[in-house]
Every structure is written in C-alpha cells, then in structure tokens.
Amino acid sequence: MKPEAAAQPPQPFFLDGGADARFCLYHPPAGPGCRGAIVYLHPFAEEMNKSRRMAALQAAALAADGYAVLAIDLHGCGDSAGDFGDATWDSWLADVARASRWLQQHLGERLNDAPAIWGLRLGALLALDYARRAAVAPAFLLLWQPVTSGATFLTQFLRLAVASQMLTADGTGGGTAALRTRLAEGYALEIAGYLLNPALAASIDTQDAALAPPCPVHWLEMVADADRPLPPAAARVVTRWREGGTHVAAHSVAGPQFWATQEIATCPALLDQTRHALLPLHHAAG
C-alpha cells in the first residue's frame, strides 16, 4: 500500500512552556486536505523507548495518507517537563486533552471531527479512559495491543522489582503483595530505573477496559501466528463491547512484541494493517 503523497518532515516543538512544557512531534498531513487528526499516546516506562521507531514509522505513514498526527511525550516522560515520579494518571489525561485542543486549534476548519486517539499498551488504556470522560468523544480509537486490566499490568510491572530483589545477596523484599502494601502506605518505588508514584500506581490499578468507549474502535493485536484468533482477554472485551453496540474492528497481526524486545524491532505487517484498517475512513473523507 503506497501513500498518495510524500509526507512532510515531522515538526518538533514544546507545547506550552516552562515547568509544564510537553514535547510533541507533529506530522502534518500530506496534500492540501486533511482526512482527520490523531493523537498518539505512548506506552509505559521503558516500553516507550522500545516503541519510538514503530510509532514514528506509523505516524509518517498516516501523515502520507492525509492524517495530521501529533505524538506527545506525557508528563514526566521522554523529553517533556517533570519527573516520571511526579506523573499522575490525571496529569496524563490532561495532556491528552491539551494535545487534542492543539490539533483542533492548529487545523481549524480543516478538521471536521474531534481528533482520534491512538494508544499503545498502557497508552491504549489511557485513550479508553480519556474517551469515556471527554465532553466530545474522539472520532475513533486506534488501539495497539491494549492493556485490558490495569491491575494485571501493575502486577507485571512490580514483578520486575521482585526479580531484581531475587538477585540481591539475601533475596529479601517480599513479593508483589508487599510492594503493593508499600505503595498503599504512600511510598514511591524505584522499579527498573523508574520511580513509581503511589498515586499513579493506584490509578493504574483501577483501570479496566471492560467499559466500552463512546466511539468506533480499531483494535490491533500482535500474535505469534496470523491465523491465531485474539487472545482470550482481548476477545472477551471485544465481544462485550460489540454486544453493547460499539463498533469494533479487531485484527490479529503476526510479528514481534516490539515494545519488549531486547533490540529495537519493527513490524511492517502492523504498519500496513493499521493503514488498511483506516482505509474506509480514508475513502469516506475523500
């Protein structure tokens, strides 16, 4: 699938300034029109760094198809202001709103709908929560490998600290239950080089994808074999949403879990499938 026009170079800038600045990378839509706007929300902690290449490739491809794409480094992440240990779920939700407003103001009359939200892993769960809270629902959600349970995700992240403790001389420190107790008592935890704010951990713990969003969804899930169905947890959520009347287009894509590989990895099949998933919207806007 070839783009219709050459994409313009991405434009880096800081949204607002000072202690509240957010680093953004804007991919302008190719051609004179604009088929829609999309805000990209990155995944959590080190997964963000592993995913930058894939996010940049997809943003450039979507821009070549006529979409305006804004990638924002959330509060305390990447090149944005603040420390990771100061970030909260609410400050991240506020960042999504800021990014959406910027696109609406920047594009003006060229934009017919509210910006769509594209999230990867925990960024997808953030996109879902934002969509449910927003006064005006996003045009659609593009979810890459969405986390379906914040509690399960938090436990998996805490296991990184447990594994690190097992490598110490005495192996003390307790399991994930002990770490959750420390967080509940208000203590921040350093895990895999990231200081986890107890308020952020508490918010992640309550997030659940079961509640359907008020807009169409494109769900893309990485699997070992393209012939495999969605994993059970994802399939349950998709089925529940559809039964509730939400339009969900779900796709399995064979490829590496690039957000977790030791070396930086890409998945051309995911890039192509994402563009194909948006093709009906692409033609409808033309």
Side-chain angles (χ1 to χ4, degrees):
M1 180 177 176
K2 295 182 179 180
E4 291 186 354
Q8 302 177 45
Q11 302 170 4
F13 70 98
F14 281 96
L15 180 58
D16 298 328
D20 207 33
R22 300 290 181 268
F23 178 78
C24 296
L25 195 61
Y26 176 57
H27 296 257
C34 179
R35 301 195 181 273
I38 303 174
V39 175
Y40 169 66
L41 305 180
H42 58 74
F44 188 74
E46 191 60 23
E47 290 185 2
M48 174 188 182
N49 297 323
K50 295 293 182 68
S51 305
R52 278 195 183 275
R53 177 62 176 163
M54 274 294 291
L57 290 172
Q58 188 68 79
L62 292 174
D65 285 339
Y67 289 96
V69 183
L70 182 68
I72 182 171
D73 286 1
L74 299 170
H75 177 206
C77 302
D79 293 314
S80 285
D83 295 325
F84 187 85
D86 296 326
T88 65
W89 193 259
D90 284 344
S91 70
W92 287 353
L93 286 170
D95 287 346
V96 184
R98 290 167 67 183
S100 297
R101 283 196 302 270
W102 185 90
L103 279 170
Q104 291 172 311
Q105 293 167 359
H106 183 75
L107 295 169
E109 295 181 355
R110 299 173 68 190
L111 187 61
N112 295 322
D113 297 310
I117 310 295
W118 159 32
L120 170 59
R121 298 278 291 148
L122 193 68
L125 201 53
L126 180 65
L128 284 167
D129 194 32
Y130 172 80
R132 299 181 194 117
R133 296 168 180 251
V136 178
F140 61 89
L141 296 180
L142 172 59
L143 308 181
W144 275 8
Q145 202 77 17
V147 169
T148 57
S149 168
T152 299
F153 179 85
L154 180 62
T155 296
Q156 292 170 343
F157 187 65
L158 294 177
R159 284 174 181 159
L160 296 177
V162 174
S164 178
Q165 292 166 359
M166 293 175 65
L167 296 176
T168 61
D170 57 6
T172 60
T176 58
L179 296 177
R180 283 177 174 277
T181 297
R182 294 284 290 172
L183 289 168
E185 292 172 345
Y187 293 96
L189 300 178
E190 185 172 348
I191 302 175
Y194 293 86
L195 188 64
L196 180 61
N197 182 333
L200 176 59
S203 294
I204 292 174
D205 212 21
T206 64
Q207 297 302 312
D208 194 324
L211 183 61
C215 58
V217 177
H218 296 275
W219 184 309
L220 289 93
E221 189 89 12
M222 302 299 300
V223 295
D225 187 328
D227 294 328
R228 290 187 178 182
L230 292 178
R236 284 193 295 270
V237 173
V238 169
T239 298
R240 179 170 179 172
W241 289 0
R242 286 173 174 166
E243 290 175 348
T246 300
H247 175 75
V248 186
H251 307 273
S252 296
V253 182
Q257 295 185 339
F258 55 88
W259 58 90
T261 53
Q262 185 172 359
E263 302 295 331
I264 300 301
T266 59
C267 181
L270 179 59
L271 302 176
D272 289 341
Q273 184 61 63
T274 298
R275 295 178 67 200
H276 279 292
L278 300 189
L279 192 60
L281 297 175
H282 180 84
H283 283 319

